[in-house]
Amino acid sequence: MNYHNPSLTVISSEIIPGAIRWRSPSNIALVKYWGKHGNQLPQNASVSFTLSGAATDTTLRYKSRQEAGESVEVALLLDGTPNSGFTERTKAFLEKLLPVYPFLKQLSFTIETSNSFPHSAGIASSASGMSALALCLVSLEEELFEPFADRAEFLAKASYLSRLGSGSACRSVYGGAAVWGKLPGLDGSSDEYAVSVTESLHEVFKNYHDDILLISKSEKSVSSRAGHGLMEGNPYATARYAQANRRTDEMLSVLKHGNVERFGEILESEALTLHALMMSSHPPYILIRPNTLQVIERIHRYRADTGNPLYFTLDAGPNLHLLYPHAVAAEVKQFIREELLYFCEDKMYLADRVGKGPERLEVNE
Ligand code: PMV
């Protein structure tokens, strides 16, 4: 799909100022995207659950600009306070979108954004943040030009724009589960945007839990962007990309049939493989912390002792996501409180679930 459209321009003087607001959630990859090429294209397919509680709420305010400039005019407020770092990043993202949306330089934007989780929690907000902004932009396109033929087209475009901001963000525009990356066995799948696989999700996964254990809230020593870059010289890269494609295929079958044990085996192997790739990069680096391993050992012991299907995964950082079915929620939460919180910074964890996806909200005046 080529979304570049030089004809999407406006007559600035005819634009009535307006505002659009979306809340978009974060997602947790079950099979990981790690390694990219070209313009934010993935080296392998990935599949994720979209979360419910961890989300970004973004309001995009727009008005006409007397004369179109060469660059985009934008100011960003995080939790009501101007934030120059986020403003620069957002400006760079919007300028990257100019071939898709030339009208962006004819308007002036103020973006108000806030996260449902504390900014200092050590949780990446790029997936929820970029998808919330992309959804606002596609709604703006509908307001200024024509509505999309259907919701699927609307969401595919929002996913495409999100991807250009942050790869994994493209999976957040759908509730339930989403796949990003071309898979021969999955009709409609693409490297350019994610597709929903929620319809074929087994009942047990529809309300699956994901409790996020905050092992450390410190800034990561190596960013995801740098990590993706280091995959280029990684000696295991080719084998990894093939493995991830096979696993995404298998995970789709597991998600359909509800096999929570096989789900967990793939989940944990994916987490450890991701971090093994970091440790085998040049230069090598380690993002897990001693307490990450303490918790992993206890989860393994808990599983052996109780038989409960509690499994973990990791993002590109030390924090653990604990995934389990609703049927064992009371027991698992007791285990987390009694045995795992000790290993978390400030004894913090965020209780989350598989969610229904982004929501358009009324704008607060
Ligand atoms: O979307 P990025 O560039 O921040 O990369 C995120 C990669 C992982 O979170 C580690 C895996 C994934 O697929 O989300």
Side-chain angles (χ1 to χ4, degrees), residues 118 161 196 222 246 250 358:
L161 299 185
S196 171
V222 179
R246 281 195 308 275
E250 188 184 353

Side-chain angles (χ1 to χ4, degrees), residues 29 31-34 46 126 166-169 171 224 228 274 315-316:
V31 176
K32 313 287 179 184
Y33 144 65
W34 198 242
S46 56
S126 64
S166 160
S168 59
R171 298 184 307 240
S224 283
H228 286 291
L274 172 69
D315 256 340

Side-chain angles (χ1 to χ4, degrees), residues 41-261:
L41 294 165
Q43 290 283 14
N44 60 258
S46 56
V47 54
S48 57
F49 279 157
T50 297
L51 300 180
S52 170
T56 300
D57 182 336
T58 294
T59 302
L60 175 76
R61 296 183 192 277
Y62 60 94
K63 60 183 186 191
S64 68
R65 198 168 160 183
Q66 289 320 316
E67 272 178 52
E70 277 315 301
S71 60
V72 171
E73 195 170 277
V74 60
L76 185 136
L77 290 90
L78 177 64
D79 298 325
T81 308
N83 185 303
S84 57
F86 274 27
T87 297
E88 281 318 304
R89 252 191 276 168
T90 306
K91 189 166 183 287
F93 171 53
L94 295 177
E95 283 170 1
K96 196 170 173 186
L97 296 185
L98 284 172
V100 181
Y101 285 156
F103 66 85
L104 293 179
K105 61 181 181 195
Q106 298 180 284
L107 302 172
S108 170
F109 297 101
T110 307
I111 298 172
E112 290 151 30
T113 191
S114 60
N115 295 322
S116 62
F117 43 90
H119 185 59
S120 60
I123 296 190
S125 57
S126 64
S128 53
M130 284 299 173
S131 55
L133 180 54
L135 286 155
C136 289
L137 291 170
V138 185
S139 291
L140 175 60
E141 176 189 347
E142 282 198 317
E143 273 173 35
L144 301 178
F145 304 96
E146 281 172 23
F148 282 81
D150 56 42
R151 193 166 163 81
E153 276 188 29
F154 176 95
L155 292 175
K157 185 143 187 191
S159 178
Y160 174 92
L161 299 185
S162 304
R163 183 200 105 224
L164 295 174
S166 160
S168 59
C170 74
R171 298 184 307 240
S172 270
V173 306
Y174 305 101
V179 168
W180 173 34
K182 182 86 197 129
L183 270 186
L186 183 65
D187 275 355
S189 60
S190 168
D191 283 352
E192 304 213 48
Y193 45 82
V195 293
S196 171
V197 289
T198 307
E199 273 197 10
S200 43
L201 212 51
H202 187 278
E203 278 306 312
V204 72
F205 291 118
K206 287 187 179 157
N207 60 358
Y208 228 61
H209 287 253
D210 177 3
D211 288 346
I212 309 167
L213 266 50
L214 304 171
I215 300 294
S216 165
K217 303 181 195 168
S218 313
E219 192 80 15
K220 286 186 285 193
S221 56
V222 179
S223 69
S224 283
R225 176 194 290 261
H228 286 291
L230 289 174
M231 279 304 285
E232 275 170 41
N234 190 300
Y236 305 111
T238 310
R240 162 60 192 165
Y241 301 145
Q243 175 196 53
N245 286 331
R246 281 195 308 275
R247 283 182 167 174
T248 305
D249 254 335
E250 188 184 353
M251 185 56 100
L252 287 178
S253 153
V254 166
L255 291 177
K256 193 170 175 177
H257 296 105
N259 181 348
V260 296
E261 272 78 29

